[in-house]
Amino acid sequence: AQHERHENSILKSDNDKLRAENNRYKDALSNATCPNCGGPAAIGEMSFDEQHLRIENARLREEIDRISSIAAKYVGKPMLPHSSPFSQLTTSTHIPTRSLDLEVGSFGNNNSSQTGFVGDMYGTSNIMRPVSIPREADKPMIVELAVAAMEELVRMAQTGDPLWVLSDSSGEILNEEEYFRTFPRGIGPKPIGLRSEASRESTVVIMNHINLVEILMDVNQWSSVFCGIVSRALTLDVLSTGVAGNYNGALQVLTAEFQVPSPIVPTRENYFVRYCKQHSDTTWAVVDVSLDSLRPSPITRSRRRPSGCLIQELQNGYSKVTWVEHTEVDDISVHTMYKPLVNTGLAFGAKRWVATLDRQCERLASSMASNIPTGDLSVITSSEGRKSMLKLAERMVMSFCSGVGASTAHAWTTLAATGSDDVRVMTRKSMDDPGRPPGPNVGLTLQWDILSNGGLVEEMAHIANGRDPGNSVSLLRVNSSNSGESNMLILQESCTDASGSYVIYAPVDMMAMNVVLSGGDPDYVALLPSGFAILPDGSTRGGNASVVAEGEVVTSTASNCGSLLTVAFQILVDSVPTAKLSLGSVATVNSLIKCTVQRIKDALACDGA
């Protein structure tokens, strides 16, 4: 009772202050003068633009109040009268995990910590550089910014000319002058030294709109589905969990790192708020917008203007997705070979997000298919074995993607012994890790010799996981010409879409693979994935195509454009510091990559491409 009396006293004092402030405003309005003539001002008269702004502000306030009420109702803190409608939004570092029960890994592990590491090819490190959780005083600004960003995203997704101008070579281009005229609010003008990137792309995917929203609002599933783009992600705070058991009105503060599968393209790290809203029974939207003013460092290399997607329900479980990516970035440190790819928006733009989502939805639909003829299973004896094999392949791809880029979690070192900078290496210790071979193993040397020197390869199982024949998972057996060596198995996944292609493989233990093929748990199968990441070179004209293996360029005649190729191998070596790697280890890595590049040259020459 004493506590309530004290609280009432505080509220009464706040009420008196507000009443006094209201009276001051009334006095000011009654004494207002016209700035032009000095006479009394006609307060009741306003222009059409002023009326529009007042209506818009009132509508935005209503939405902000609604979100605040949701937060108060479902998070458990009541709203206090005469206080800021946002002051009672709670602070939480976790969000309840909502599993889609998608059977094949649910697109990653759903841990309540909401930390999305998309695999770990070369090891773990601390989470991104420290970013503080928003203070209570910052939350009203975050909510208002999210609401304004949602309105901007919807209009950006639905508006055509003159906001978006069609280009023959680059698709739709944002008219920046029209943009700033249409959206004068937001996160302010473009900082000096940053370059704008804006793109929009639409497609129809084989997934219902509810599941799409859940993937986007669960950081683990989001970073798993887009593992080639999102190298790391973390939910820092949850301002609202949504209403009625879904994500309508959900607000999250995240930090994420975005990458291209190459160590010579710097990653982009963003600190942003994500807001989900249901606009109708069949339409949802999810928007991100940067929170630069809350960063501990004043230096901004990359920031996201309102970006995200509009999701519309279609018949038969399909959805139409319209994706908008709008960023401002300092890309001066991007390698010159990758400049065209980045400048055209193919590296971080909407086309890559949409193409990846479309391919992953097809993969999921394939993994859940139950009408597979028994004869097509090959050595896979059941549908459970098929799902386990796909889950293992998913982990392999995520592990490869996390290590092949320039993520700040890993440190690339140039091997001085190679005599050039076209080969780079990262090392880690593998001790008591159930997902990897247990440290240096002499027996694996022969396996790598087989991989580099060849042998008869037999496909034992093949699982198509998309419309494109290039999207598949295979189990290969390498029959060595040396009868004294035991045969080995290789798990391989190839995937391709409009944004690029991957061929990823890893040697697997035969006994462990037999367990997987019988439907057993694939999580403890040791994997060291290697492979190829293939991206378009960004050119829009005919001429020479560039095939690149981290610095070495192979040119050939092509009708449209070339490719940028990143080759990544993993090999177990003696446990020594990177600077003291044996010459044999250096030579092995160098030989593997050089041999691969030479084979690509030979293949291009034979095909006359």
Side-chain angles (χ1 to χ4, degrees):
Q2 290 177 355
H3 179 71
E4 288 182 355
R5 281 196 295 271
H6 177 68
E7 212 170 35
N8 288 336
S9 175
I10 294 175
L11 293 176
K12 183 177 179 181
S13 175
D14 290 343
N15 191 23
D16 292 340
K17 291 178 182 178
L18 290 172
R19 187 178 290 108
E21 189 175 6
N22 190 27
N23 291 333
R24 287 199 302 272
Y25 288 150
K26 288 182 179 179
D27 293 340
L29 289 174
S30 62
N31 297 324
T33 58
C34 175
N36 296 324
C37 64
I43 302 300
E45 299 178 4
M46 65 181 69
S47 67
F48 173 79
D49 290 339
E50 290 174 322
Q51 291 179 2
H52 178 74
L53 288 175
R54 285 175 179 265
I55 294 172
E56 182 182 9
N57 288 338
R59 182 179 57 76
L60 293 176
R61 287 195 186 96
E62 288 178 0
E63 185 171 354
I64 291 171
D65 291 341
R66 182 180 64 81
I67 296 173
S68 303
S69 299
I70 291 171
K73 182 176 180 181
Y74 288 92
V75 179
K77 288 192 176 181
M79 305 300 294
L80 296 180
H82 307 296
S83 65
S84 167
F86 323 108
S87 61
Q88 301 304 313
L89 296 174
T90 62
T91 301
S92 172
T93 56
H94 307 309
I95 179 174
T97 302
R98 311 182 186 198
S99 172
L100 291 178
D101 193 19
L102 298 181
E103 298 187 40
V104 183
S106 293
F107 283 132
N109 296 325
N110 294 324
N111 298 324
S112 60
S113 63
Q114 288 288 291
T115 304
F117 290 87
V118 302
D120 182 17
M121 183 174 178
Y122 295 101
T124 59
S125 71
N126 294 329
I127 302 177
M128 300 171 197
R129 61 186 179 83
V131 180
S132 60
I133 296 175
R135 301 171 301 171
E136 284 296 317
D138 295 328
K139 292 179 180 179
M141 183 272 289
I142 294 176
V143 174
E144 291 186 33
L145 185 61
V147 171
M150 175 61 72
E151 180 185 7
E152 179 175 323
L153 172 73
V154 173
R155 294 177 65 184
M156 289 275 284
Q158 296 177 337
T159 305
D161 187 66
L163 184 62
W164 293 96
V165 181
L166 192 62
S167 169
D168 294 335
S169 59
S170 303
E172 290 183 311
I173 298 176
L174 182 67
N175 184 336
E176 287 200 33
E177 183 178 346
E178 181 67 22
Y179 169 79
F180 284 108
R181 183 164 51 247
T182 306
F183 306 106
R185 301 173 47 165
I187 59 176
K190 180 174 64 177
I192 298 175
L194 299 189
R195 183 180 64 85
S196 292
E197 288 182 4
S199 56
R200 182 173 69 172
E201 194 78 18
S202 297
T203 193
V204 175
V205 299
I206 182 171
M207 181 176 287
N208 69 61
H209 60 299
I210 299 299
N211 285 352
L212 285 173
V213 168
E214 291 190 354
I215 287 175
L216 295 172
M217 297 305 294
D218 184 318
V219 72
N220 288 318
Q221 296 186 55
W222 174 64
S223 56
S224 297
V225 169
F226 299 101
C227 62
I229 306 175
V230 183
S231 52
R232 291 185 294 163
L234 172 66
T235 300
L236 296 173
D237 200 1
V238 178
L239 306 186
S240 172
T241 57
V243 61
N246 60 44
Y247 284 102
N248 183 26
L251 273 166
Q252 305 172 5
V253 177
L254 300 94
T255 181
E257 185 184 55
F258 305 100
Q259 68 170 357
V260 168
S262 171
I264 56 178
V265 178
T267 58
R268 298 178 178 182
E269 184 180 330
N270 293 124
Y271 176 48
F272 57 94
V273 60
R274 174 166 292 176
Y275 173 36
C276 177
K277 180 181 177 181
Q278 182 178 8
H279 291 269
S280 68
D281 290 341
T282 60
T283 304
W284 290 70
V286 178
V287 66
D288 299 341
V289 63
S290 283
L291 301 174
D292 296 292
S293 60
L294 304 182
R295 295 182 71 95
S297 171
I299 301 175
T300 300
R301 291 185 57 252
S302 171
R303 68 174 188 171
R304 290 169 70 80
R305 288 191 175 271
S307 303
C309 63
L310 187 67
I311 305 169
Q312 297 170 280
E313 180 186 12
L314 301 178
Q315 294 181 346
N316 301 322
Y318 286 79
S319 300
K320 179 182 178 182
V321 178
T322 301
W323 202 290
V324 175
E325 277 295 309
H326 192 185
T327 61
E328 292 166 341
V329 61
D330 175 13
D331 59 0
I332 192 172
S333 56
V334 174
H335 195 283
T336 53
M337 290 185 298
Y338 283 82
K339 285 280 189 183
L341 178 72
V342 174
N343 292 341
T344 55
L346 295 175
F348 296 96
K351 185 173 184 178
R352 188 174 175 216
W353 286 93
V354 165
T356 301
L357 178 63
D358 187 21
R359 173 171 52 80
Q360 290 282 41
C361 288
E362 286 187 359
R363 190 185 197 281
L364 176 63
S366 172
S367 69
M368 298 181 68
S370 58
N371 56 344
I372 307 297
T374 307
D376 293 346
L377 295 177
S378 188
V379 297
I380 307 175
T381 58
S382 64
S383 59
E384 288 75 17
R386 185 175 185 271
K387 293 174 183 177
S388 293
M389 181 170 161
L390 285 173
K391 185 177 180 181
L392 181 61
E394 178 189 39
R395 178 160 67 88
M396 176 182 68
V397 171
M398 292 167 57
S399 178
F400 176 85
C401 289
S402 70
V404 74
S407 173
T408 54
H410 315 297
W412 284 99
T413 303
T414 301
L415 288 178
T418 64
S420 63
D421 63 351
D422 60 348
V423 176
R424 304 172 184 222
V425 68
M426 290 191 293
T427 63
R428 72 179 299 274
K429 290 184 178 181
S430 180
M431 300 296 292
D432 300 326
D433 189 341
R436 290 184 180 79
N441 186 330
V442 178
L444 288 178
T445 303
L446 297 178
Q447 293 185 358
W448 280 104
D449 286 341
I450 294 173
L451 289 178
S452 58
N453 296 331
L456 297 177
V457 179
E458 175 188 359
E459 187 175 48
M460 302 177 64
H462 179 93
I463 302 175
N465 56 7
R467 291 169 295 181
D468 194 296
N471 293 330
S472 63
V473 175
S474 300
L475 183 63
L476 309 175
R477 180 168 60 192
V478 179
N479 299 314
S480 173
S481 57
N482 187 344
S483 59
E485 297 175 9
S486 60
N487 294 337
M488 63 174 294
L489 298 179
I490 296 177
L491 179 66
Q492 175 179 291
E493 175 158 352
S494 60
C495 51
T496 183
D497 57 47
S499 66
S501 304
Y502 293 90
V503 178
I504 303 168
Y505 60 90
V508 291
D509 179 73
M510 187 174 294
M511 294 182 61
M513 201 63 206
N514 285 333
V515 174
V516 173
L517 295 177
S518 300
D521 186 1
D523 289 342
Y524 292 98
V525 177
L527 290 174
L528 279 176
S530 301
F532 310 86
I534 309 162
L535 299 175
D537 66 359
S539 64
T540 57
R541 61 188 184 280
N544 288 337
S546 299
V547 179
V548 183
E550 293 311 322
E552 180 162 350
V553 182
V554 184
T555 59
S556 62
T557 304
S559 57
N560 293 316
C561 62
S563 299
L564 298 168
L565 174 65
T566 299
V567 185
F569 286 107
Q570 283 201 87
I571 184 170
L572 288 171
V573 298
D574 294 334
S575 180
V576 295
T578 303
K580 297 181 180 179
L581 281 175
S582 66
L583 292 178
S585 300
V586 172
T588 300
V589 175
N590 198 21
S591 175
L592 284 169
I593 294 182
K594 299 296 184 183
C595 179
T596 302
V597 173
Q598 185 59 49
R599 290 181 180 178
I600 294 172
K601 290 180 181 180
D602 296 341
L604 290 173
C606 292
D607 293 341

